[in-house]
Amino acid sequence: QVQLVESGGGLVQAGGSLRLSCAASGRTFSSYAMGWFRQAPGKEREIVAAISWSGGRTYYADSVKGRFTISRDNAKNTVYLQMNSLRPEDTAVYYCAVQIKAGTPYDYWGQGTQVTVSS
């Protein structure tokens, strides 16, 4: 089992920044890839960014490339999402998740943190 707790969400004006954190406990955090997802009202959940177990490989959705940065600190069992140049369309509930095996659906999810970007 892995428990995930997100934090750092809030209300920010367009152009502003937020840093989300996801603290993990349970199984060996450093062995697994991690991802950040988001779900806006009335829309399907979408992947925002992902990072390999070592941090050496990352993935970003086209909509956030150049604005968001995913990183991890395995010593602290924490993954981060630095979000800059925020836009109203970034408003969503953001979730972190753990992928136990590459190429399979993410296995464990946090409860989510709300990010609201005002225009």
Side-chain angles (χ1 to χ4, degrees):
Q1 280 286 62
V2 175
Q3 293 78 43
L4 303 170
V5 179
E6 301 99 335
S7 61
L11 173 64
V12 64
Q13 288 188 331
S17 298
L18 285 174
R19 188 175 83 153
L20 305 184
S21 300
C22 174
S25 60
R27 295 172 71 168
T28 307
F29 168 83
S30 60
S31 299
Y32 307 121
M34 301 287 296
W36 282 99
F37 294 75
R38 67 186 181 187
Q39 187 166 21
K43 295 188 177 181
E44 293 189 354
R45 186 172 59 197
E46 62 177 353
I47 188 167
V48 174
I51 188 166
S52 62
W53 67 270
S54 67
R57 287 180 291 120
T58 56
Y59 164 84
Y60 296 95
D62 287 343
S63 57
V64 306
K65 280 181 182 176
R67 301 188 298 122
F68 290 11
T69 303
I70 189 170
S71 62
R72 67 190 296 162
D73 185 338
N74 286 342
K76 295 182 178 180
N77 287 353
T78 302
V79 64
Y80 304 97
L81 185 67
Q82 178 66 45
M83 305 186 295
N84 299 328
S85 302
L86 283 161
R87 304 167 180 169
E89 54 264 38
D90 294 317
T91 295
V93 178
Y94 283 71
Y95 302 88
C96 67
V98 173
Q99 186 185 51
I100 300 298
K101 183 177 180 181
T104 64
Y106 282 71
D107 300 88
Y108 299 98
W109 296 81
Q111 84 289 348
T113 185
Q114 176 71 46
V115 171
T116 303
V117 184
S118 63
S119 57

